[in-house]
Amino acid sequence: MSFQEKRAWVYAVVALVVPAVYFATVLGQAPRVAYAVPMLTAIGVGIGANILGAIGSAILAPAQAGINDERDRSIDQYGKRAGYVVLATGAVAALALTLARFEYFWIANALYLAFVLDGLTTSLVKIVAYRRGF
């Protein structure tokens, strides 16, 4: 498993676990819940976990840490393009919720879910590209 694939796995796990905890905590009390602090906490924990995962990966494989060849760059761009489609779809959904005058809770959570699904899609597309070839 390449260094870049390991980083994609770390990102995918964080993109699954942190939002799952957030949504399990908040959605049971929707929509009359103070969701801003838990959401900001989940975002901060996700960013911190990804930074620590990148540092940990670099410590465990220092020889591979800074090496990106053309294939790695192509897979990275391929994954990002797939993620952008998901993110744009989520943004349109949040816009639709706004135009339909839904509560801020639903709009904010739709946007958060769009970013989560973007990260997850990007990671999974990269993992599949590394596994099956690109």
Side-chain angles (χ1 to χ4, degrees):
M1 182 181 306
S2 73
F3 177 76
Q4 298 301 333
E5 185 180 355
K6 288 177 189 174
R7 289 196 55 198
W9 274 106
V10 168
Y11 198 75
V13 169
V14 171
L16 276 174
V17 172
V18 173
V21 171
Y22 166 76
F23 285 122
T25 303
V26 172
L27 287 183
Q29 307 167 32
R32 302 279 187 238
V33 63
Y35 63 92
V37 172
M39 182 183 287
L40 292 173
T41 302
I43 292 168
V45 168
I47 291 169
N50 280 316
I51 290 170
L52 291 176
I55 292 170
S57 297
I59 289 172
L60 294 175
Q64 299 175 347
I67 300 173
N68 285 333
D69 60 9
E70 185 176 336
R71 178 176 175 255
D72 290 329
R73 287 187 292 275
S74 295
I75 288 173
D76 185 56
Q77 288 300 314
Y78 181 62
K80 285 179 181 178
R81 280 193 298 269
Y84 291 154
V85 171
V86 173
L87 182 59
T89 304
V92 169
L95 180 61
L97 291 174
T98 304
L99 294 174
R101 300 185 186 273
F102 274 70
E103 294 183 36
Y104 293 141
F105 173 85
W106 297 111
I107 298 165
N109 279 289
L111 284 171
Y112 179 58
L113 182 62
F115 281 107
V116 166
L117 293 177
D118 166 42
L120 190 59
T121 300
T122 300
S123 296
L124 293 177
V125 167
K126 288 179 186 181
I127 291 166
V128 169
Y130 277 111
R131 292 289 169 125
R132 293 192 177 161
F134 183 77

